[in-house]
Amino acid sequence: MVLTGISDRDYQIKWSKLHDPLRLLIIVEHFENVVLNTIQRTPELYEWFENEWVHLVVVHPETKKLSRFTEGVFVEYSPLYRPEFKENLESLFETEKDNLPVLLLKE
């Protein structure tokens, strides 16, 4: 598809320079096999997760372990770092011009 002489790909590249591309993250507390069966029932929905347009994380209801859906399967996930604890956000809002970092608001 071509829009006013610019291909979709060119448009996306130019648009991506204007903002940080973000993806929706869905977190579900359930068993992996139940979630997988559910998303596979609708091919159009499954495609969102398979192509990683939408990220999917499952929290096991008993162990509380996290698994991320990637390349068609759930893979155990462990965070790369622990976010910093921050009590006073006002100073951060006043000084930060870029995207805000991930922070813990209470322990």
Side-chain angles (χ1 to χ4, degrees):
M1 181 175 172
V2 175
L3 302 172
T4 62
I6 300 174
S7 71
D8 283 347
R9 183 176 168 271
D10 291 338
Y11 178 77
Q12 290 171 353
I13 290 171
K14 289 176 184 177
W15 176 252
S16 69
K17 292 178 184 177
L18 300 175
H19 73 92
D20 291 332
L22 301 174
R23 298 281 188 241
L24 178 65
L25 169 63
I26 297 176
I27 302 173
V28 179
E29 184 177 52
H30 216 307
F31 299 99
E32 293 174 8
N33 61 327
V34 174
V35 175
L36 183 59
N37 289 336
T38 301
I39 65 173
Q40 286 178 332
R41 285 186 199 152
T42 308
E44 296 84 4
L45 174 64
Y46 182 74
E47 184 179 27
W48 294 354
F49 300 110
E50 187 177 42
N51 292 327
E52 297 188 5
W53 298 328
V54 176
H55 296 291
L56 176 61
V57 171
V58 167
V59 179
H60 191 282
E62 296 165 353
T63 66
K64 304 302 180 196
K65 288 189 176 182
L66 304 176
S67 297
R68 181 173 182 256
F69 186 75
T70 183
E71 298 180 10
V73 296
F74 284 100
V75 177
E76 188 173 335
Y77 174 80
S78 59
L80 300 176
Y81 73 100
R82 182 170 168 84
E84 175 187 342
F85 176 72
K86 193 85 166 172
E87 280 189 38
N88 180 2
L89 295 180
E90 286 183 33
S91 63
L92 185 65
F93 293 143
E94 292 170 357
T95 59
E96 192 65 41
K97 293 181 181 160
D98 294 323
N99 292 335
L100 294 175
V102 175
L103 299 167
L104 291 175
L105 301 178
K106 61 182 179 177
E107 293 210 292

